[in-house]
């Protein structure tokens, strides 16, 4: 693992989507887990690191490049795995994805299929403190139940946006489930002026504004 700032690490083994770890006293919170194909390596990297045992996993959204390793981490650590309620319903197959493109992506096994962990749902209409100082914040748009994580002025934004020269911009439109909601989420992140942004894809970076 590589330290980004004190108490915050990027997990090297995660494939496709980024995975980050936060040290919170005697607890550790993992944000996203990469593809299922890298799950064993992620578990091994966490086990080898001199960190508290992972107690919580926050999944920013249901895409397989973010949830793929969650079941393996949960088996290894007993962690609570959190996911937004609307995305949990999609991941379990209770409801279909909200757009034609996303329904096709799921039907054809885009990026593979993830083993399902036992999920604890995050409310999609309220913030949730999953560990002291670690707050999951609803950020719909990319997916209906997308959440970002705030910690000490840092925003772990999942796929609610990507960094371009220190500014947050949208992902391609085909990947966005609700453009109006995505616009509102990006505006809210921008208004909060985080000192550091950790995206679901690409390198962390300093935030410079809209």
């Amino acid at each position: 693992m590589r330290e980004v700032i004190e108490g915050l690490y990027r997990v090297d083994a995660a494939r496709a989507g980024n995975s980050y770890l936060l040290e919170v006293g005697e607890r550790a919170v993992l944000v996203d887990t990469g593809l299922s194909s890298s799950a064993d390596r992620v578990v091994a990297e966490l086990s080898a690191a001199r960190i508290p045992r992972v107690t919580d996993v926050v999944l920013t959204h249901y895409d397989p490049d973010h949830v793929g390793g969650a079941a393996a981490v949960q088996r290894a650590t007993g962690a609570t795995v959190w996911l937004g309620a609307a995305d949990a319903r999609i991941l379990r197959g209770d409801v279909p994805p909200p757009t034609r493109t996303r329904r096709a992506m799921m039907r054809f096994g885009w990026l593979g299929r993830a083993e399902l962990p036992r999920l604890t749902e995050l409310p999609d209409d309220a913030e949730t403190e999953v560990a002291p100082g670690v707050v999951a914040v609803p950020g719909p748009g990319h997916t209906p139940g997308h959440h970002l994580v705030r910690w000490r002025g840092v925003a772990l934004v999942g796929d609610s946006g990507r960094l371009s020269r220190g500014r947050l911009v949208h992902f391609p439109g085909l990947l966005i489930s609700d453009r109006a909601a995505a616009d509102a989420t990006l505006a809210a992140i921008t208004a909060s002026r985080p000192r550091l942004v950790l995206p679901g894809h690409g390198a962390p970076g300093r935030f410079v504004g809209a």
Side-chain angles (χ1 to χ4, degrees), residues 126-150:
E127 298 182 358
T128 303
E129 188 174 46
V130 301
V134 180
V135 180
V137 180
H142 184 73
T143 62
H146 192 290
H147 278 65
L148 56 109
V149 174
R150 289 192 178 131

Side-chain angles (χ1 to χ4, degrees), residues 49-73:
R50 294 183 177 180
I51 57 170
R53 179 180 64 84
V54 174
T55 55
D56 300 88
V57 178
V58 179
L59 302 173
T60 58
H61 61 293
Y62 72 82
D63 285 343
D65 53 335
H66 295 259
V67 308
V73 173

Side-chain angles (χ1 to χ4, degrees), residues 4 9 15 28 33 35-36 56 75 90-91 96 100 109 120-121 123-124 133 153 164 166-167 183 185 188 203 207:
V4 180
Y9 304 86
R15 289 187 61 228
T33 61
L35 287 172
S36 57
D56 300 88
R75 276 197 305 274
I90 294 170
L91 188 61
R100 180 180 300 175
T120 299
E121 295 185 7
D124 293 322
S164 176
R167 292 174 168 81
D183 287 344
T185 292
F207 178 75

